[in-house]
Amino acid sequence: MGAPAEADRGEPGGIRTALAGLTTRGRSFLAAGIAAVICAYILGQADLRRVGLLLAVLPLICATVLYRTRYRVAGSRRLSPARVPAGSEARVHLRMDNVSRLPTGLLMLQDRVPYVLGPRPRFVLDRVEPGGRREVSYRVRSDLRGRYPLGPLQLRLTDPFGMCELTRSFSTFDTLTVIPKVEPLPPIRLSGEARGYGDGRQRSLALAGEDDVIPRGYRYGDDLRRVHWRSTARHGELMVRREEQPQRARCTVLLDTRGLAYEGAGPDSAFEWAVSGAASVLVHMLERGFSVRLLTDTGSTVPGEGADGFAGSQESADAAGLMMDTLAVVDHSDGAGLSRAYDVLRGGNEGLLMAFLGDLDEEQAAVVAKMRRRSGGAVAFVLDPDTWVREPTDVPAPGNAHEERLRMLREAGWTAVGVPRGASLAELWRQADRERSSMAAVSGEAR
């Protein structure tokens, strides 16, 4: 929940601001009171002068009290949740607290939101007792990814007599992050992966031989059969063997963000499908226990603070949030090629490579083909540009460049899957598994 927002107490011209907030009724009372005082002075009527003074002082008292009261009303905002997938709703909770000793008049709330999230919400609250609070909420929804500011909150106060209205703007705001849609993927096993997939993990011996184990101190719950007696005698305390150290299998998700590789815009465009697909694979691989990183055609990686850029086992949730926040604001790049991404990939130790690619020319298809040599396994989802700009046909055009690019990648060892318009990632995921299994079977027969 956001902290209560305070207005600027040092606002210059406080009395002028209070008088500027007089309503038509308040101005009428003030004008009638002044006129009555003048007439009473001319006519020598003391009673009329008292009435005139009452009429003139009442709106001034209301404006002064209201001006001081507006600093005694605190507001806060809470998002539930603060990170929401595209197309889903989030709820914004507003809370107003009256921290003064006097009741407030009528309160009118208005929160400022971007137009893509919906209409600007407005609320009318009845008087709030001293120390009381009022809570209201509204819903926001966006089909477009991004980070959207909410606020500042505006509060309009009125006195019980309707003499004055003052507007207070709070200084704080919150940010709603709309992340890409994540499609659940079936827990298949891409057969033929040398480095394992799913529950399989890499393991490496710390050192070779019984005498070369690296012992550590005994911890509650350790198996007594792992006690290393020689080290125990040497250190004078129980020591256990630590022969094996698990290493999480790695996966790199490559997202092609080149502007020239995609056509169209909006939530149903090819680029949005690629971003959503990359997000789905990232979440799926993290749930399966992989160390994952996000790589774009510009060569930037997320997370990029570690030594190798991969998310560790203790920070999977944080890494998932960081990568989702990155994908929420990712946009087209000005690059023309994928060579920077190729340079980031190191030979032989990248594990599984999952690529979401836009339209490829012959030169860029050759660069992608070379990436296969720098990974343990490679799966590419290549968007078909023809079906994304027009309705797909059952019969592919002769000499289709898209099919030629897929053939080049398959010959290089990729499991390449074409992505037509409106395709389901889960179905393509299963198709990639079937094609990978077929390639492994053919390779085994050839051997």
Side-chain angles (χ1 to χ4, degrees):
M1 176 180 294
E6 295 291 340
D8 185 7
R9 293 177 180 267
E11 182 180 350
I15 297 181
R16 185 181 304 174
T17 302
L19 293 178
L22 290 176
T23 62
T24 302
R25 179 184 300 176
R27 295 176 186 273
S28 300
F29 268 66
L30 180 61
I34 295 176
V37 170
I38 294 176
C39 293
Y41 178 76
I42 295 175
L43 300 176
Q45 298 290 330
D47 294 336
L48 181 61
R49 184 169 58 251
R50 296 188 187 97
V51 173
L53 290 176
L54 176 62
L55 294 176
V57 169
L58 181 60
L60 296 179
I61 293 177
C62 291
T64 303
V65 172
L66 190 63
Y67 182 78
R68 294 178 59 87
T69 302
R70 71 173 184 163
Y71 293 119
R72 309 298 296 172
V73 179
S76 61
R77 182 190 299 104
R78 177 172 56 89
L79 302 181
S80 177
R83 183 187 291 118
V84 63
S88 300
E89 290 184 348
R91 185 167 289 275
V92 183
H93 301 268
L94 302 177
R95 175 175 142 181
M96 305 304 300
D97 293 273
N98 181 15
V99 296
S100 69
R101 299 178 181 178
L102 298 176
T104 67
L106 195 65
L107 301 180
M108 288 172 282
L109 293 178
Q110 177 177 280
D111 206 6
R112 182 174 299 177
V113 300
Y115 71 94
V116 296
L117 298 182
R120 182 170 296 182
R122 294 180 174 88
F123 304 94
V124 178
L125 304 180
D126 200 356
R127 62 187 298 274
V128 182
E129 64 279 5
R133 69 178 59 170
R134 296 290 185 272
E135 294 187 5
V136 294
S137 64
Y138 64 93
R139 295 177 296 179
V140 290
R141 179 181 181 274
S142 175
D143 293 326
L144 299 176
R145 300 174 293 108
R147 293 172 61 87
Y148 301 103
L150 300 178
L153 178 66
Q154 290 184 339
L155 174 65
R156 182 177 297 177
L157 303 94
T158 61
D159 65 280
F161 301 102
M163 298 288 181
C164 184
E165 287 186 357
L166 292 179
T167 300
R168 172 183 174 184
S169 293
F170 296 90
S171 58
T172 60
F173 65 92
D174 295 278
T175 301
L176 175 68
T177 303
V178 180
I179 62 176
K181 293 181 181 179
V182 175
E183 183 176 350
L185 300 179
I188 63 175
R189 177 186 179 91
L190 293 176
S191 58
E193 298 299 337
R195 303 189 183 278
Y197 186 80
D199 296 332
R201 305 289 178 86
Q202 303 179 45
R203 288 186 175 272
S204 62
L205 291 178
L207 289 173
E210 174 70 16
D211 295 334
D212 294 329
V213 296
I214 300 178
R216 61 168 174 81
Y218 175 83
R219 298 173 186 169
Y220 179 77
D222 285 339
D223 191 349
L224 292 178
R225 291 175 295 181
R226 295 177 55 196
V227 174
H228 192 251
W229 299 108
R230 183 176 303 178
S231 300
T232 299
R234 183 183 306 119
H235 292 86
E237 60 177 338
L238 281 178
M239 306 292 290
V240 296
R241 291 188 297 269
R242 190 175 55 181
E243 303 97 337
E244 294 184 347
Q245 295 182 356
Q247 296 179 359
R248 289 158 57 94
R250 290 178 170 182
C251 176
T252 298
V253 179
L254 171 61
L255 176 61
D256 182 9
T257 63
R258 296 173 300 140
L260 53 83
Y262 301 93
E263 294 187 19
D268 297 328
S269 63
F271 181 66
E272 292 301 321
W273 191 97
V275 174
S276 177
S280 302
V281 171
L282 285 170
V283 172
H284 178 75
M285 302 305 280
L286 283 172
E287 291 176 349
R288 297 294 300 275
F290 276 71
S291 292
V292 182
R293 73 173 174 182
L294 173 64
L295 176 65
T296 65
D297 58 288
T298 60
S300 59
T301 60
V302 180
E305 301 298 331
D308 53 8
F310 287 89
S313 59
Q314 302 299 325
E315 51 205 22
S316 295
D318 294 339
L322 178 61
M323 287 185 281
M324 288 298 105
D325 289 345
T326 302
L327 290 176
V329 296
V330 69
D331 202 353
H332 292 296
S333 68
D334 297 330
L338 299 166
S339 57
R340 292 184 180 178
Y342 172 76
D343 295 336
V344 173
L345 297 175
R346 298 178 301 178
N349 195 29
E350 293 301 309
L352 188 63
L353 176 60
M354 311 290 293
F356 289 84
L357 306 171
D359 188 16
L360 298 175
D361 55 23
E362 186 174 358
E363 179 182 357
Q364 298 309 315
V367 175
V368 175
K370 292 190 298 181
M371 293 181 183
R372 175 62 182 86
R373 299 195 296 266
R374 297 194 170 188
S375 63
V379 181
F381 298 93
V382 186
L383 278 75
D384 186 353
D386 293 334
T387 62
W388 283 93
V389 297
R390 59 178 175 80
E391 292 297 327
T393 58
D394 296 335
V395 180
N400 192 312
H402 175 68
E403 294 296 332
E404 180 64 21
R405 305 296 179 256
L406 293 179
R407 185 188 62 81
M408 290 179 58
L409 297 183
R410 289 165 182 160
E411 291 179 351
W414 282 82
T415 301
V417 180
V419 181
R421 183 182 182 88
S424 169
L425 179 60
E427 293 299 326
L428 297 177
W429 191 253
R430 296 187 182 95
Q431 179 182 345
D433 176 52
R434 293 192 297 267
E435 293 189 9
R436 187 64 180 172
S437 301
S438 301
M439 293 174 58
V442 171
S443 177
E445 293 177 359
R447 286 195 296 267

